[in-house]
Amino acid sequence: MGILELLLVATGLAMDAFAVSLCKGLRMRRINYAQAVVIALFFGVFQALMPLLGWTLGIQFEQYITAVDHWIAFILLSVIGSKMLYDSLTEDPSCPIQTVDRLDLKELLLLAIATSIDALAVGITLAFLKTDILLSVSLIGIVTFILCLLAVAIGNRFGNRLQSKAGIAGGVVLILIGLKILLEHLGIISF
């Protein structure tokens, strides 16, 4: 697999993390660059670690991992998205939507894991293709980091105009990402 193909794979893997980072930026009162870097690092590191783990597991576990990865991603993203929807819909309407001044690292960890589960299966594929794993995980991590950093800034920029719908949009996006992963793996849709 060449560098161009690896960059395309890295970009594709980063899209779920990009969407979640966009939602995180929407919920910030003001862009907090330190938090943006932390968000991008969480997603970048997990997007790089999961293919490494998949590559390490190799051929013997392929049927077990690919059989359930979509269900795990769907459940995690649906639970987190539902919580965001519930929190947004049950707020006192006289108050503006709750913006996030501090990061919830537990939630961020779950989101990073949920959005990188597909990368685990990609790592197994990289093992079969005898691809340079260090180059692969480096590109995947770096591309994800850069895209997530941009997503937080973009989300924050437009968040001032869309702030009242940020929690609802974030929850819906997470649920839809989980549903997309599930439907793709079940062969119902292909993107």
Side-chain angles (χ1 to χ4, degrees):
M1 193 177 279
I3 289 183
L4 181 58
E5 291 168 312
L6 285 174
L7 284 171
L8 290 173
V9 167
T11 303
L13 286 174
M15 286 299 102
D16 291 344
F18 179 87
V20 174
S21 298
L22 190 67
C23 294
K24 289 292 186 187
L26 277 168
R27 304 256 347 231
M28 288 182 181
R29 209 180 304 270
R30 252 183 243 137
I31 186 78
N32 181 323
Y33 294 104
Q35 286 183 0
V37 168
V38 170
I39 291 166
L41 274 173
F42 262 82
F43 289 116
V45 167
F46 273 89
Q47 286 290 352
L49 285 178
M50 287 297 203
L52 182 60
L53 179 60
W55 181 82
T56 303
L57 292 174
I59 297 170
Q60 69 257 14
F61 295 110
E62 179 188 13
Q63 70 246 13
Y64 303 115
I65 294 168
T66 56
V68 297
D69 68 345
H70 52 285
W71 286 106
I72 295 168
F74 172 70
I75 290 167
L76 286 174
L77 289 171
S78 294
V79 166
I80 294 167
S82 296
K83 182 186 179 306
M84 286 177 71
L85 275 174
Y86 176 79
D87 290 347
S88 297
L89 294 172
T90 58
E91 287 178 341
D92 180 0
S94 63
C95 298
I97 193 162
Q98 177 187 358
T99 55
V100 177
D101 293 323
R102 292 180 1 177
L103 287 177
D104 181 346
L105 295 181
K106 289 179 186 175
E107 178 189 49
L108 197 55
L109 177 66
L110 286 175
L111 289 169
I113 291 169
T115 58
S116 65
I117 288 177
D118 277 356
L120 187 70
V122 168
I124 292 169
T125 304
L126 294 175
F128 297 151
L129 297 175
K130 299 187 184 350
T131 303
D132 180 350
I133 194 61
L134 293 179
L135 175 63
S136 300
V137 298
S138 297
L139 284 175
I140 290 168
I142 291 167
V143 166
T144 302
F145 175 84
I146 291 168
L147 288 175
C148 289
L149 199 58
L150 289 171
V152 172
I154 292 167
N156 183 258
R157 172 105 170 121
F158 295 106
N160 293 334
R161 295 183 198 131
L162 305 171
Q163 193 171 23
S164 65
K165 306 293 184 204
I168 294 170
V172 169
V173 166
L174 291 179
I175 292 169
L176 289 176
I177 290 170
L179 187 60
K180 175 187 155 280
I181 291 169
L182 179 65
L183 294 176
E184 281 179 343
H185 282 270
L186 294 176
I188 296 171
I189 62 170
S190 63
F191 283 102

